[in-house]
Amino acid sequence: MILKTYRVNSIKGNTLRLTGKGLDKAWEQAEVLTDFISPWDKKGVDKIEFRALYNTEHLFFCFKVFDAEIYVDSTDDTHLSINNSDRVELFFRADENLNPYYCLEIDPTPRIMDFIAKPNKDFDFYWNWPSEDINVKSNKEENFFTVEGAISLASLKRFNLVKDGKIETGIYRAKYHKQADGNYEPTWITWVNPQTEEPNFHTPSSFGILQFM
């Protein structure tokens, strides 16, 4: 099976300043990925722009999510509240066995729900991406929100995720809509259509490739 590929351009020795707004001029060197769908929902999805770059030390990523009704569950800062909020997601795996794979789910504030997982949705929420190896910032505007991050290449290599200049990656978004009863229900949005009957990102067929150029 040929996996969808996104080309991650190099900014060589240069760095990239994270502000949460995605305004650093280095982002102009990134390819813009807008190929997102919700295979399980007949309605179209609002535009999402994903960018990634790398230098000698970090993988940088930026989501710009167009949304006039951003929802954040502010009950507390637990995983449950993040899980009930609009968010963007990156999953990384060593191979299609998903044993293990690493998950980063980030809401617009930006709170991070990070965990390590094994097949059949075996999640370990006690695991965290080392704080010294990840930096995330965000910004909310009236009609969109932005999430920027930097992940150390050292940590990605330590977790055996970089192979031949590639990282097998899932790129996702959860959009929560208010229902008539006042509750919020998600629309699940993905870069790669996993061809599953029900929404499922935690499956080998939902991953593509970040290719370092």
Side-chain angles (χ1 to χ4, degrees):
M1 179 181 176
I2 299 175
L3 300 183
K4 289 178 76 171
T5 298
Y6 171 84
R7 293 155 49 103
V8 183
N9 292 332
S10 170
I11 53 173
K12 299 181 179 177
N14 298 325
T15 189
L16 188 156
R17 182 168 171 262
L18 298 180
T19 62
K21 297 182 178 182
L23 297 179
D24 193 292
K25 287 191 68 68
W27 286 122
E28 296 175 4
Q29 300 180 50
E31 295 191 4
V32 184
L33 176 67
T34 59
D35 187 15
F36 292 92
I37 57 171
S38 179
W40 313 280
D41 195 322
K42 293 180 181 178
K43 294 179 293 187
V45 300
D46 289 337
K47 186 177 180 182
I48 302 166
E49 296 178 352
F50 173 82
R51 294 171 172 82
L53 294 165
Y54 78 101
N55 63 11
T56 54
E57 295 184 349
H58 292 95
L59 169 68
F60 301 97
F61 65 88
C62 181
F63 288 87
K64 185 174 183 180
V65 180
F66 293 85
D67 187 347
E69 297 181 350
I70 300 166
Y71 176 66
V72 174
D73 181 342
S74 55
T75 304
D76 51 37
D77 287 331
T78 63
H79 285 161
L80 184 60
S81 286
I82 302 171
N83 195 53
N84 288 333
S85 300
D86 283 1
R87 61 190 185 277
V88 295
E89 306 180 5
L90 290 172
F91 293 179
F92 303 109
R93 70 182 192 190
D95 56 49
E96 63 183 8
N97 294 321
L98 300 183
N99 193 19
Y101 59 108
Y102 300 85
C103 306
L104 296 170
E105 305 193 9
I106 309 164
D107 78 4
T109 61
R111 298 175 298 184
I112 301 177
M113 180 166 64
D114 47 353
F115 55 99
I116 190 171
K118 294 181 180 179
N120 301 313
K121 298 186 178 181
D122 179 5
F123 304 150
D124 179 1
F125 289 105
Y126 291 103
W127 183 90
N128 298 109
W129 203 284
S131 59
E132 65 273 17
D133 289 310
I134 187 168
N135 182 21
V136 173
K137 298 193 175 192
S138 68
N139 182 64
K140 287 192 293 181
E141 299 289 346
E142 186 176 354
N143 294 312
F144 66 89
F145 70 90
T146 308
V147 172
E148 278 187 306
I151 303 171
S152 76
L153 292 181
S155 64
L156 291 164
K157 291 173 181 176
R158 193 161 65 244
F159 300 144
N160 195 33
L161 297 171
V162 183
K163 296 182 178 180
D164 300 322
K166 301 175 183 178
I167 305 176
E168 296 185 12
T169 306
I171 310 174
Y172 317 104
R173 148 104 159 116
K175 168 58 194 166
Y176 276 75
H177 299 277
K178 192 172 186 179
Q179 308 300 301
D181 61 5
N183 292 320
Y184 285 81
E185 294 295 333
T187 294
W188 301 104
I189 300 164
T190 177
W191 169 39
V192 175
N193 185 349
Q195 305 291 336
T196 57
E197 222 173 282
E198 300 294 329
N200 188 5
F201 298 160
H202 299 272
T203 182
S205 57
S206 75
F207 285 72
I209 290 174
L210 299 185
Q211 172 72 64
F212 291 163
M213 303 307 295

